[in-house]
Amino acid sequence: MTDMQVNPSFRLVYVPGVTPGKWVRVWSERLPDVPLELLAVPVGDGERTLREGGADAGLVRLPVDKDVLSAIPLYAETTVVVFPKDHWLAAAEEATLEDLADEVVFHPLDDTLGFTADTLPGRPAVARPDSTADAIELVAANVGVLLVPQSLARLHHRRDLTYRPVARAPQSQVALSWPQERTTDLVEEFIGIVRGRTVNSSRGRGAGQAAPEAQPKKGEAPRKAQQRGGGQKPGGAKGGGAKGARTGGAKAGGQKPKPAARRGRPKR
């Protein structure tokens, strides 16, 4: 790992559909003196930005070049089909890829589901839209339908469109990625935040900041030892009950016990 002072701020790139807000909030609480810069880029530019050193880490979609970038998969998104509200698919709660066999299914150039010309369901469009946003416009024109991760369907929400989940469809995975040769302390800190580590268990800047456990004062017995002893030793008796009453009472006062009366013959 390199020294944190080389990079006093932290640059995080993220692609459409990814919401880094919850991790950014934790960062601002944990490292208030280190600014976190957010860089929103098109889906195809996330990996390139990391490779070219434009960001320290990124929330991107898999796959990435594992020879250059490290990646921690975070979650897989539900795949949905987007269509006009008056489309017959609106009557179903869930669709299948087979349901789209007779539909024109758009395949934008920034597709995030890994479809190819051979694996894309339905009938292909005359041309591939340049982007998901362009494909959404064509869907709104009632030309065809579109398969996307659910977060992108929400991002491009329109009142005249709706969507349904698609069973057994390919899914898009979101991952935290960073250049392998630049695994800085700040990168480790963000990894810990994403993985839910507490500040005391972090491997980055927060490591070793746990509050020391309270130590007993000199001459003071540990609390647990006092509880186990039950406060009996100071009294001089090992236990209570009849035995303690017979043996402890006289000695505690410093007086000798009286001798027992002799037994003799009873007087006539």
Side-chain angles (χ1 to χ4, degrees):
M1 292 185 292
T2 60
D3 187 72
M4 279 193 310
Q5 299 302 322
V6 175
N7 187 18
S9 64
F10 189 74
R11 300 162 299 168
L12 180 69
V13 65
Y14 67 101
V15 297
V18 178
T19 53
K22 60 181 179 180
W23 298 312
V24 172
R25 286 192 295 272
V26 176
W27 178 280
S28 63
E29 294 170 359
R30 193 170 297 183
L31 293 92
D33 57 330
V34 181
L36 191 152
E37 302 175 18
L38 290 175
L39 306 173
V41 300
V43 65
D45 291 346
E47 180 176 352
R48 179 182 59 80
T49 302
L50 292 173
R51 292 169 65 98
E52 296 178 356
D56 301 294
L59 297 169
V60 299
R61 296 185 183 275
L62 296 178
V64 296
D65 187 350
K66 293 184 178 180
D67 293 333
V68 180
L69 302 177
S70 297
I72 300 174
L74 301 179
Y75 59 89
E77 287 199 64
T78 299
T79 298
V80 301
V81 56
V82 183
F83 49 82
K85 282 189 173 181
D86 59 357
H87 196 280
W88 67 269
L89 283 169
E93 295 183 357
E94 184 180 70
T96 65
L97 294 178
E98 291 75 16
D99 292 333
L100 309 179
D102 297 329
E103 301 292 329
V104 172
V105 180
F106 294 113
H107 189 199
L109 294 177
D110 62 356
D111 170 56
T112 60
L113 297 174
F115 282 117
T116 65
D118 295 330
T119 61
L120 187 71
R123 298 184 291 122
V126 175
R128 294 184 64 180
D130 291 334
S131 66
T132 297
D134 292 335
I136 289 289
E137 294 295 329
L138 293 171
V139 174
N142 208 11
V143 179
V145 299
L146 175 66
L147 289 162
V148 290
Q150 185 170 335
S151 66
L152 291 183
R154 290 173 175 171
L155 180 65
H156 297 286
H157 171 72
R158 290 175 54 121
R159 292 184 179 181
D160 54 346
L161 300 180
T162 188
Y163 60 85
R164 293 291 185 273
V166 181
R168 299 181 299 279
Q171 293 181 318
S172 175
Q173 276 195 312
V174 174
L176 172 63
S177 183
W178 68 95
Q180 293 179 5
E181 296 182 353
R182 295 195 294 275
T183 308
T184 65
D185 285 349
L186 290 179
V187 170
E188 287 283 8
E189 193 71 38
F190 196 78
I191 292 172
I193 289 173
V194 169
R195 284 184 161 174
R197 295 180 194 149
T198 64
V199 64
N200 294 333
S201 63
S202 173
R203 299 179 184 177
R205 170 173 160 151
Q209 293 182 353
E213 185 178 350
Q215 299 293 329
K217 295 180 181 180
K218 188 175 181 180
E220 179 180 344
R223 183 180 299 272
K224 289 185 178 179
Q226 292 179 357
Q227 292 175 349
R228 286 196 300 267
Q232 295 171 351
K233 288 188 176 181
K238 292 184 180 180
K243 185 176 180 181
R246 289 197 302 269
T247 61
K251 289 185 179 180
Q255 299 178 357
K256 294 182 179 181
K258 295 181 178 180
R262 293 183 178 180
R263 292 183 180 181
R265 293 183 179 180
K267 294 182 180 182
R268 294 182 179 178

